[in-house]
Structures are given as structure tokens and as C-alpha cells.
Amino acid sequence: MYLDSGNLEDIKKIQASSIFKGITTNPSILVKEKCSRKTAITNILQQSNKLVFVQTVGFTYEEILADASALLATFGKERIAIKIPAHEDGIYVIETLKKEDKTIKLLGTAIYSADQAIAAGLAGADFVAPYVNRMSGASINPFKEIAKMRHFFDKQALSTQIMAASFKNAGQVMEAYESGADTVTIPYDIYEQMTNKLLAIEAIHVFNQDATLFES
């Protein structure tokens, strides 16, 4: 599981947790921090020793490759993974970077279909990120698409992991896992939905109230 956030308070909460393996960001997340991308990523890396995913900016092959190279030169491949949009030019960038250095961690992002994820996986992406809630909003069944990805990656023995993203609620997270996602990236409020169940909270309060009876 990964934290989808650039908020330093949320990142502080998961720093000591083994549940969260890293942090994912994108330009829309980082703009909320009201500072430059470089400053935002620097702050996150100072707050956490977990792997941080940073998305490239650009649309053409040349633009994306140049930005990916600049990010790696600035932050180092040991600290960050690179998120690359999985359209035609982006997939060629994934292929290029993997040919140059197989140890660079790459995630194909903005995925809306199984065939798109498969192309990114064949190009060498370590992760692909299907956008669950956005797919649902576009009348695409994200769970069927994840199942197709799972079937292909397993059949071809590809090591590409499915990191489902874009969630509206905790129920979607569970359906993504059940459909074959290896992992998910979620904002902290979704994690709170997963853990702070109303019935569980009420039961805990009852247990604590009953426990006081032994002290009287």
C-alpha cells in the first residue's frame, strides 16, 4: 500500500508504518502544497525515508524524457521512482529509460484500459496505475480491466505490478485487490475509512466503559 499525498502531516503519520511502502505524487497533488515541485519533493524526502514517486511534466517523447532525466539527476534513483503517463510517447520513454538503466523504478500512470497497461508493462514499467474512480466515471469497468491486466501479466510472467489508484471510497480499494491489483495508492482519508469503522469504534467505547467496572 502507498500513500497518495504530498501533505507533510499525512506523510509524518505513515513514516513509522510498515503498511505504507512509499508515497505517490502528481502535479495536481503537489500544487496543493503551494510551492515549486522541487521544493515539495525535497520537503517530502526530508520528512520520509520511503520511496517517493514523482510524475514527469510534458507531452512529447523529448519533453518527458528530458524531465525524467532532470528529476533523476536532482533527486537520485535511490530516493525516487518516476511516473510517466502511459500514452504513446510516454511508453517509448519507459522503454528508453529501462534500456539505459534497468534499476530505475518506473510507473506507467494515467491508465484507463488493460491494453494501455499491457503496453506499458511490455515496455518495462515496474508498476502500472489504473485510475479506478476516474474509469468508473467514464463508464469503464475498472475491475474488469484490472482482471485483464492480471491475467496477461501472469500469463507472460511479467514482473509489472498493478498499483491501482484514484479511489472515492474504501469499497473500491477492496474491489481492486479482489480483481488482481498487487497494491494500491490511497489518500490518508481512505485509509481512515478502511480502519475507523463506526461499529468498531462503538465496540471499543463499550469495551472501555465495561473495563471501568473492574476498577470500582
Side-chain angles (χ1 to χ4, degrees):
M1 186 176 292
Y2 292 77
L3 177 69
D4 199 28
S5 177
N7 182 273
L8 295 180
E9 289 302 314
D10 288 345
I11 291 166
K12 184 177 180 180
K13 292 176 186 176
I14 63 119
Q15 176 54 28
S17 171
S18 62
I19 296 172
F20 289 91
K21 306 303 181 186
I23 299 152
T24 63
T25 70
N26 61 42
S28 298
I29 286 173
L30 294 181
V31 74
K32 298 174 185 177
E33 303 312 306
K34 303 186 186 307
C35 59
S36 70
R37 179 178 64 168
K38 182 178 180 180
T39 298
I41 296 302
T42 299
N43 290 340
I44 292 169
L45 292 172
Q46 289 174 345
Q47 180 70 60
S48 175
N49 59 9
K50 297 179 186 288
L51 185 66
V52 178
F53 288 73
V54 185
Q55 186 164 325
T56 55
V57 176
F59 190 84
T60 67
Y61 172 87
E62 292 78 12
E63 290 169 344
I64 296 168
L65 181 60
D67 194 46
S69 299
L71 287 169
L72 290 166
T74 300
F75 298 109
K77 65 181 181 180
E78 294 80 16
R79 297 299 317 273
I80 67 167
I82 302 296
K83 294 176 65 176
I84 297 174
H87 66 322
E88 183 180 2
D89 282 25
I91 288 170
Y92 284 137
V93 173
I94 291 171
E95 189 174 21
T96 297
L97 288 172
K98 274 299 180 181
K99 285 179 179 177
E100 291 179 356
D101 187 344
K102 294 187 183 300
T103 65
I104 297 172
K105 297 179 182 65
L106 301 175
L107 181 152
T109 192
I111 287 182
Y112 287 82
S113 65
D115 51 1
Q116 190 187 7
I118 286 166
L122 290 172
D126 300 284
F127 302 86
V128 291
Y131 283 0
V132 171
N133 194 58
R134 292 191 187 188
M135 291 165 75
S136 294
S139 299
I140 301 167
N141 187 323
F143 310 114
K144 285 186 177 180
E145 296 303 309
I146 290 172
K148 291 176 186 177
M149 298 171 203
R150 175 82 282 139
H151 176 75
F152 182 87
F153 292 154
D154 289 348
K155 185 177 180 181
Q156 299 298 321
L158 291 180
S159 60
T160 306
Q161 292 189 50
I162 302 168
M163 183 193 289
S166 173
F167 294 102
K168 184 178 181 180
N169 55 60
Q172 289 179 332
V173 174
M174 294 313 301
E175 285 194 70
Y177 274 128
E178 290 174 359
S179 300
D182 295 284
T183 188
V184 298
T185 181
I186 57 174
Y188 200 80
D189 67 309
I190 297 289
Y191 180 67
E192 290 177 321
Q193 286 183 31
M194 294 172 66
T195 53
N196 290 333
K197 302 297 185 185
L198 179 60
L199 291 174
I201 298 300
E202 290 175 348
I204 293 167
H205 286 316
V206 171
F207 293 150
N208 289 338
Q209 289 170 3
D210 289 345
T212 63
L213 300 176
F214 296 102
E215 298 175 4
S216 54

XYZ file of all heavy atoms in Angstrom, residues 206-216:
89
model
N -17.523 0.687 24.121
C -18.237 -0.189 25.061
C -17.240 -1.001 25.885
O -17.390 -1.132 27.114
C -19.204 -1.122 24.309
C -19.766 -2.182 25.256
C -20.343 -0.318 23.687
N -16.216 -1.554 25.219
C -15.206 -2.320 25.944
C -14.539 -1.461 27.014
O -14.327 -1.911 28.156
C -14.126 -2.843 24.971
C -14.624 -3.873 24.000
C -14.049 -3.982 22.743
C -15.638 -4.763 24.341
C -14.485 -4.933 21.842
C -16.076 -5.724 23.442
C -15.505 -5.803 22.186
N -14.196 -0.234 26.643
C -13.516 0.658 27.582
C -14.422 1.043 28.752
O -13.973 1.147 29.903
C -13.015 1.911 26.849
C -11.855 1.615 25.920
O -11.160 0.614 26.103
N -11.642 2.460 24.926
N -15.710 1.250 28.459
C -16.659 1.552 29.535
C -16.811 0.374 30.481
O -16.831 0.541 31.712
C -18.027 1.923 28.928
C -18.047 3.271 28.240
C -19.314 3.503 27.454
O -20.226 2.666 27.473
N -19.419 4.630 26.771
N -16.904 -0.830 29.895
C -17.045 -2.033 30.728
C -15.791 -2.278 31.550
O -15.857 -2.796 32.676
C -17.339 -3.248 29.857
C -18.745 -3.202 29.259
O -19.561 -2.394 29.753
O -19.024 -3.959 28.324
N -14.644 -1.923 31.013
C -13.390 -2.138 31.729
C -13.343 -1.336 33.016
O -12.695 -1.756 34.003
C -12.198 -1.776 30.833
N -14.020 -0.192 33.054
C -14.008 0.631 34.269
C -14.770 -0.030 35.419
O -14.554 0.327 36.575
C -14.627 2.016 33.979
O -16.006 1.846 33.608
C -13.877 2.737 32.858
N -15.639 -0.987 35.102
C -16.395 -1.675 36.148
C -15.484 -2.470 37.064
O -15.789 -2.674 38.243
C -17.445 -2.593 35.528
C -18.501 -1.915 34.649
C -19.409 -2.962 34.027
C -19.317 -0.917 35.472
N -14.361 -2.936 36.499
C -13.439 -3.723 37.318
C -12.632 -2.848 38.259
O -11.990 -3.350 39.185
C -12.482 -4.517 36.414
C -13.163 -5.539 35.574
C -13.401 -5.299 34.232
C -13.585 -6.754 36.107
C -14.043 -6.243 33.432
C -14.219 -7.690 35.320
C -14.454 -7.451 33.983
N -12.643 -1.549 38.018
C -11.845 -0.643 38.829
C -12.640 -0.060 39.977
O -12.076 0.631 40.826
C -11.320 0.488 37.934
C -10.406 -0.004 36.806
C -9.987 1.123 35.860
O -10.365 2.276 36.146
O -9.297 0.841 34.869
N -13.946 -0.298 40.011
C -14.771 0.288 41.062
C -15.035 -0.725 42.177
O -14.632 -1.876 42.116
C -16.090 0.784 40.466
O -16.730 -0.234 39.754
